[in-house]
Amino acid sequence: MPWELIGTLVKILLVVNIAMGVVAYLIYIERKVAAYAQDRIGPNRAGSPIVPFGLLQPIADGAKMLLKEDVIPGYVSRPVYILAPLIAIVAAIIGFAVVPFGPVGPDQWMNFQIAPNVNIGILYVFAVGSLAVYGVILAGWASNNKYAFLGGLRSSAQLISYEIPLGMSILGMVLIAGSMDLSTIINWQSRHTWGIVVQPLGFLLFLVSGFAETNRLPFDLPESEQELVGGFHTEYSAMKFGMFFLGEYLHVITVSYLIAILFLGGWHIPFLTSPEQTWWPTSLLKMVILMSKVMAMILIIMWVRWTLPRFRYDQLMDLAWKSMIPLSIVNLVATSGIVQLIYSAS
Amino acid sequence: MRPDDPKLKKLEPPRLTFGDRMYLPQIAAGLLLTAKHMAGVAFGNKAITVQYPEEQHVPSPNYRGVHRLNKDDQGRVKCVACMLCATACPAHCIDIVGTTAPDTWPDREKYPASFVIDELRCIYCGMCEEACPVDAIELTGLYDLTGLTREQMIFDKTKLLSVYDATRDAEPMRYTAPPPKTAATEALPSPIS
Ligand code: SF4
Ligand code: SF4
């Protein structure tokens, strides 16, 4: 038992630190992707002969965030103002507890998951993911500024609206695999076929609402600073603003993980891996496969960001309530019908 | 023109096809376009930006940057303190204190005792340049104007004259003959080509 505790602590430390480091470099990659899409070169200054291509940029960015003057306006309600970015980032981090980074099983000496075998894995991810709304709305409220407050309301309305199709689009997959445990869903996919094949509509809906949940273009109204006089974080500066930013990137990672796990087969590649392989090198290989899928997904999300224009707010709400929610209901009903037919036939 | 005028041409936006209204084909086309650009920069060296400190941007000859106060051939400030530029300036950022010219300057009655331009308020419209009857004030091609404080960005007469000294060879006075080229200035690479 104590060994399990120490192992879990080590895993938490590893995951949190790696996630932060990865986020720092994701910002660098995003800037590079943006630059390339716009025929620029992107950050290439913060480097040295040993570290080319400006790869030290994230460190410079981080130093800047920490050293900048941290302005707290006199009219904000201080405790809530300081609490809001903390909520945003904590809500984003604790979702990683159930993400299987690699294979998990009772017979393995090492589980690539902080909390292995949680049979309500997805529910947990969604529950803590929706806590991010508190960060947004408290930040808008505590700023004591009408623009920030309106921005907070706007963003929370968006986040709540898109949570409905987000949740419903995965239910099809849950029904098919018959479990809410993420590793069970991956194992179902490696025995049968990838989720994207059996749930194409669900995949599309999840992708789109995932974009909206992470405030990425074309749904990034919460952060359109120039056009909408900022969002909920207008009054935040330095590291407090950085925490909102990090929180959003962590959400991007979580959503990419969920897409990879639910619809792209997790760590499964046909004819290469199977759930029966439990030797540790294969586990490591599976982890690499999963990571590559997640990375590919993140790159696609960035690619979309620098391609599509932003939605207008009424269009955004129309899309959620008039298209995506009905479509996800249709998808859910059809899937449950088919699953019922197959189960009663067998 | 009346609304039912037959000469009036009514423009209708092109109707969206079914594919356009489904969004997805258009989204795919857009993604393809950005992908092409990304591949162009990543593999084809197609970036169009100037890598600034190493490569200097050369603005067009009629670019309007930092001001200078021109000197005449005797090295005196050309300005005759007529206040036309200060009057023309829409941003009210020129402040001139004129004073009677010394007796040794027979060609004019006044000259500026102090000539201050607030480069932070200036909108670089070039009206001062247009207004000046003796072509004493000109806007140069210098664009990398920086300062650590606001005070540093308020240019007095000395500073404006020194801008002239710095840019004289690169940018000859626009409406009068350029200064004679010496061997020394000939050898200097000119930033304005
Ligand atoms: S450029 Fe325009 S704004 Fe600037 S000093 Fe001249 S007249 Fe004034
Ligand atoms: S710079 Fe030209 S317009 Fe302005 S006061 Fe001097 S002479 Fe007159």
Side-chain angles (χ1 to χ4, degrees), chain A residues 21-166:
Chain A
V22 167
V23 164
Y25 272 91
L26 280 186
I27 294 173
Y28 168 81
I29 294 174
E30 169 118 44
R31 290 179 61 187
K32 275 287 189 195
V33 168
Y36 282 11
Q38 298 165 351
D39 290 345
R40 295 184 286 115
I41 295 202
N44 62 352
R45 297 285 149 178
S48 66
I50 317 156
V51 199
F53 314 121
L55 276 173
L56 293 179
Q57 187 67 39
I59 296 164
D61 285 345
K64 190 183 86 176
M65 286 278 190
L66 287 173
L67 296 176
K68 262 184 124 164
E69 186 186 2
D70 193 0
V71 185
I72 300 185
Y75 46 79
V76 300
S77 46
R78 241 181 126 89
V80 186
Y81 178 87
I82 294 173
L83 193 63
L86 290 177
I87 294 178
I89 202 158
V90 167
I93 283 186
I94 54 178
F96 282 102
V98 294
V99 171
F101 294 94
V104 183
D107 52 336
Q108 280 164 358
W109 65 271
M110 170 78 192
N111 281 324
F112 292 88
Q113 189 178 18
I114 295 173
N117 306 325
V118 178
N119 53 7
I120 52 159
I122 298 181
L123 275 189
Y124 173 81
V125 172
F126 278 76
V128 299
S130 53
L131 288 181
V133 166
Y134 285 102
V136 168
I137 200 153
L138 287 182
W141 172 256
S143 295
N144 204 357
N145 160 342
K146 55 184 175 242
Y147 298 110
F149 181 57
L150 284 175
L153 282 186
R154 197 172 57 221
S155 318
S156 32
Q158 170 184 341
L159 292 183
I160 291 172
S161 302
Y162 277 89
E163 217 135 76
I164 303 167
L166 188 77

Side-chain angles (χ1 to χ4, degrees), chain A residues 135-205:
Chain A
V136 168
I137 200 153
L138 287 182
W141 172 256
S143 295
N144 204 357
N145 160 342
K146 55 184 175 242
Y147 298 110
F149 181 57
L150 284 175
L153 282 186
R154 197 172 57 221
S155 318
S156 32
Q158 170 184 341
L159 292 183
I160 291 172
S161 302
Y162 277 89
E163 217 135 76
I164 303 167
L166 188 77
M168 294 225 272
S169 55
I170 56 150
L171 283 183
M173 208 50 223
V174 171
L175 279 176
I176 292 174
S179 167
M180 288 210 185
D181 181 6
L182 292 171
S183 10
T184 315
I185 294 180
I186 297 181
N187 286 340
W188 183 89
Q189 291 181 75
S190 36
R191 270 190 216 101
H192 300 87
T193 173
W194 285 12
I196 186 170
V197 182
V198 283
Q199 283 278 301
L201 185 60
F203 169 73
L204 203 66
L205 291 170

Side-chain angles (χ1 to χ4, degrees), chain B residues 69 78-86 96 115 128 131-134 136-137:
Chain B
L69 269 182
K78 273 188 105 181
C79 171
V80 295
C82 69
M83 303 283 178
L84 280 176
C85 55
I96 305 168
F115 195 115
C128 44
C132 184
V134 294
I137 191 166

